Amino acid sequence: MGRFHWSRVRHKGWALASLLFITIILIPNLLIAVEFFTEGNDNWLHIREYLLKDYLQNTVVIIIFTSLATMLIGTSLAWLITIYQFPMRNFLKWALILPLAIPPYIAAYTFHGILNYTGVIQTTLRNSFDMQVNQSYFNIMSIQGAIFIFTVTLFPYVYAITRSFFQNLSASVLENARLLGGNDIDTFFRVALPISRAAIVGSVTLVILEVLNDYGVTSYFGIQTVSTAIFRTWYGMMDLDSALKLAGTLMVIVMVVLMFERILRGRKKFFDPSSKVRPIQPKKLTGAKAWGVFAYCFGIFTIAFIIPLLQLLRWAFMTYEKVFNAQFITLAKNSVFVATIASLIIIFVALIISNYTRLQSGLLTKFISRVTTLGYSIPGAAIAIAVITIFMSLDQYIVTFLAQFNLKPEFVLRTTLGMLIFAYVIRFLAIGFNNIEAGFEKIGNRYSETSRMLGASTLRTFFLVDLPLLRGAIASGFILVFVDILKELPLTLFLQPFNFSTLATQAFKYANDERVQEASIASLMIIFISALCIFIFHRVLDKEAN
Amino acid sequence: MKKFTVILSMMLALMLALTGCVSSTNNNGNTASQGNNTEEGTNEEATNEQESGEVNVYTSRHYEADQALYKKFEEETGIKVNVVEGKGEELMERLNIEGEATEADVYITADAGNLHQAKERELLQAVESDVLAENIPEKLRDMDNHWFGLTKRARVIVYDKERVSPEELSTYEALTEPEWKDRVVVRSSENMYNMSLLASFIDIMGRDQAKEWAQGIADNMARDPEGGDRDQAKAVVAGEADVAIMNTYYIGVMLNGTDEEEKKVAENVGVFFPNQETTGTHINISGAGVTKHAKNKENAIKFIEFLSGEEAQGQFAEANSEYPVNANVEPSELLKSWGEFKEQDINLSKLGENQQEAIRIFNEVGWK
C-alpha cells in the first residue's frame, strides 16, 4: 500500500501523532535508562554477590509457571465457552472475567486469611473436629502460593482476549475442520490454537508483565524477586542508582519476554477469509459431558472469585461498624473518576498508534509499537519518580514564562490529578494497545483497503470502517485498562494529591498495617465496581454480536 | 456506524472537558501556591502563606485515631489539616524529589531510622519549641530538633505460654543458642522494625557481634521468614515455633480486634521484655518533623505540639496500643498489664545511621 503517493502523505499525519505520543512516553523511560549504564557502586557489587542469583531465579520460576497455568486455564475456558452450550454457560461467559476485579495483593491477603492458623479452615478443624493440623499443608506464603495467586487473579486476561478472538472466528473455519474429520479436541489444537496464537501470546505477555511488576504479593509472602529487590535497595539502602540498575535488569527480562512474544506470534496476519462472518453456534452438550464442562468452568470460578469474595464479605460484616462511613462514597467516586479519564485517553492514544502501525510496516512502526509497552516494564514507583520530575520541570518552565509577563507565578501542574493520570497512561498504555492491535489483526486490512480504494481518506476510513469493526476490541480494552487502574497501587500512592485517596490506597492502608479485615470493605467496593463494568460491557458486546 | 462515530466524538469531548475540570478544581483545591523559585513575588507569597490557615501533612500512619486527632486540631485552632497518606519511605522520596517546591509542611512516619534518614537527606529543619522539649524526652527526639517521637513501640520476645516458661528467656542474644534451634520465628529482613533492631545491636555490640547475632537467629529459624508480625504470633500458637520476635503493638491490636480467633492467639502468648539485666529492650518510635521547605512552619509546629500534648498522647495509647512518649500520660491498662521495662539506652538516631549496615548483614547471613 505504500506504493500510493497519497496514502503516504496521509500516513504522515498518523505517524506524527503516534510519534508525539511515543515521545511523551519515552521521556520518563529514558530518564531511567540513562542511569542504568553508569558504573556500579559498592552496593551493586554487594547485591550481585549475595542476592542477584536468587532474585532472578525466583522471578523466572514464577513467570514461567504462571504463564503456563494462565494459558492452560484461560484458553481452555475460552474454547469450551465458545463452542459448547452447557448449564449456566451464559452466566459463566462473563463471570469468568470477574476474578480480574480482585487485585492480586488483596487475593494474597484473602487466601492467607482463609488458610492461616486463625483462618476459617483451620479454625473449623480445630474447634469442631479437634484436629491440630500440620501448618505446612496450609502455607500459601511460598513461591507455589504466589504462582497460585497470580494464576487465579490473572487468567481472565487470557480468557477474555482469547474468547473474544474465538467468538469472531467464522463458523466455517470450525465446520471445515470438522468436515476434514477432526473432533473438537483436534480442532482446538490444530485450528483454534494456531489461529489464535497472536491473541494468546499477547494476553500471556500481559500476565507476565503484570507479574514482573508485582510488589504486593511477593513482598507480603516474603519472596525475593527483582521487583521487591528494587524497593529494598531504593528505600532500604537509599541507593537509587543500584535500584535503577535492578529496574534495568527487569527491563532486560521484559525485552526478552517481548522478543519471545514477537517470535511466537509469528509474522502472519490472520483474518477471516470469508467476506461474511457467520459466528460459531455453540454445540449443545448433554449428560455427563455437559456437567463435566460445567464443573470445570464453575470450579475455577469458585476458587478464583466466590471463595475470596465470601471471605471478604465475612470480614466486612466483622468490621462494618468500625470502618464504614460516608468517606467510602468519596473514595469510590475518586477511583471511578480517575480511572475513567485515564482509560479514555489510553484508548484514544492506542487507537492512533495501532492504526498507524497497521497502515505502515517498517522499522519505525516496529519501534513505536514496542515503545508502547515500555511503561509496563518498569516498576510503578520508578515511573512515579520520573513523572514527578518531569512535571516539576514543566512547572518551573511555566512559572518562569509567566513571570516574564508579570503574571502571578503559580505551580499549576504538580500534585494535580493530571500528573497521576499522565502516569496511568504511561503505565497502562500497553494493555489498551495490545487489545486494539489484536483487534486490528483480527479484522485485517481488506475492509479498509477497499474503503480507500473507493476513494475514502484514511481518516474517513478509520472512523467509518475501522472503528465500528473495532468496537469489541475497544470495549474490552477499556474494561481491562479501567479495572487495572482501579486496582493500581504504587503510582497512586506516590502521586496522589492532598486529601485525595482511592479505594485501592484505602485498602492498602489497612492491609499494610496488618489490618486486612478492615481492608475488606474498600476491597469489596473495588471488586463490585469492576464487576459491574465487566457486566455492563459484556451486555453491550453481546447485544452487538446479535 | 454513524452512531458509533457520534459516541466516540462525545467521548473525546467529555474527556477534554473532564481534564479541564481536573486541573481547574485542583488549582482551587491546592491553594498552597509557592513562589519560592522565582525572585519576584517571594515576599508577597510568604505573607500569603502565613495567613493561609492550613498545614500540609505527609504521613505513613493511617489510623482512625490519628484522623480523629486531626479533626480535633482543626476544631481547636481553625487550621485545616491536609493529608497525603502513603508508605514512609515513598513519602520521603517524594519530599526529596519535590525539593524546595514541596507543599508538605510536616512529615510523619514510623521508625526512627526513617526519620533519621529524612534528616540526613536534609528534608527536615530544626524547630525551637519549649512545648516539645517539655513533652518529649531527649532520647526520643533528634539532638538537633529535626524530628520528635510521638509514640513508642517495644520489640519483644513473644512465647507460647504452655511450652515455654519466661524463666527460659533472658536476652535477644540467648535466642542464638543451640537450644533454640528451629524454635524461633521473625518476619523478613525487609521489614524496617528488623532493620532498626539490628541497627541498635550494631551500635551496642559492634558490627561483628551484631552479625553473629543475625547469623545465629537465621540458623535457629523454624521456617523462612514470611508474613507480618501477627503471623509470627500465630506460628507460635500453632506450634510451628516456640518464640517470636515481634512488636507489642500487634498483640494489643489482636486483643482489641473483632476476630475471636485472633484474640485467642494473643491470649495464648506471653510478652517478655528481653535484656532487662543488660542493655534493655529495643524500642522504636513513630515521629514527626517539620519539612525543610515548609510554607506553613508556624502551623506545622503547632500541629506537632498538639500531637505531643496529653490529650493526643492519651488517644495514641488508648486507641492504638502504643506507648505514649509524654511522661505525664499513663499507658493504657493493657500496656500496664505487661509491666514496666527497661529500654535500650541509645539515641534513636543510631537506628538510622546503622540501617544500611544492617541490611548488608542481613543479606550476608541469608536472613531473607
Side-chain angles (χ1 to χ4, degrees), chain B residues 41 184 280 287 301 303:
Chain B
V184 183
I301 295 172
F303 178 69

Short mmCIF file of all heavy atoms in Angstrom, two decimals, chain B residues 41 184 280 287 301 303:
data_model
loop_
_atom_site.label_atom_id
_atom_site.label_comp_id
_atom_site.label_asym_id
_atom_site.label_seq_id
_atom_site.Cartn_x
_atom_site.Cartn_y
_atom_site.Cartn_z
N GLY B 41 8.12 38.31 43.81
CA GLY B 41 6.91 37.79 44.45
C GLY B 41 7.18 36.94 45.68
O GLY B 41 6.25 36.51 46.30
N VAL B 184 12.57 -20.49 66.57
CA VAL B 184 12.37 -19.03 66.53
C VAL B 184 11.72 -18.61 65.20
O VAL B 184 12.09 -19.11 64.15
CB VAL B 184 13.73 -18.30 66.66
CG1 VAL B 184 13.53 -16.79 66.69
CG2 VAL B 184 14.49 -18.79 67.87
N GLY B 280 18.77 -3.58 77.86
CA GLY B 280 17.41 -3.07 77.74
C GLY B 280 16.70 -3.53 76.47
O GLY B 280 17.33 -3.97 75.51
N GLY B 287 7.21 9.23 64.63
CA GLY B 287 7.57 10.60 64.96
C GLY B 287 7.28 11.55 63.82
O GLY B 287 6.86 11.14 62.74
N ILE B 301 4.45 23.55 63.50
CA ILE B 301 4.95 23.40 64.88
C ILE B 301 3.77 23.23 65.84
O ILE B 301 3.76 22.34 66.69
CB ILE B 301 5.82 24.61 65.29
CG1 ILE B 301 7.07 24.64 64.41
CG2 ILE B 301 6.20 24.52 66.76
CD1 ILE B 301 7.92 25.88 64.58
N PHE B 303 0.98 22.04 65.19
CA PHE B 303 0.40 20.72 64.94
C PHE B 303 1.17 19.63 65.69
O PHE B 303 0.58 18.78 66.37
CB PHE B 303 0.42 20.47 63.43
CG PHE B 303 -0.10 19.14 63.00
CD1 PHE B 303 -1.46 18.85 63.11
CD2 PHE B 303 0.74 18.19 62.44
CE1 PHE B 303 -1.95 17.63 62.70
CE2 PHE B 303 0.25 16.97 62.02
CZ PHE B 303 -1.10 16.69 62.15
#
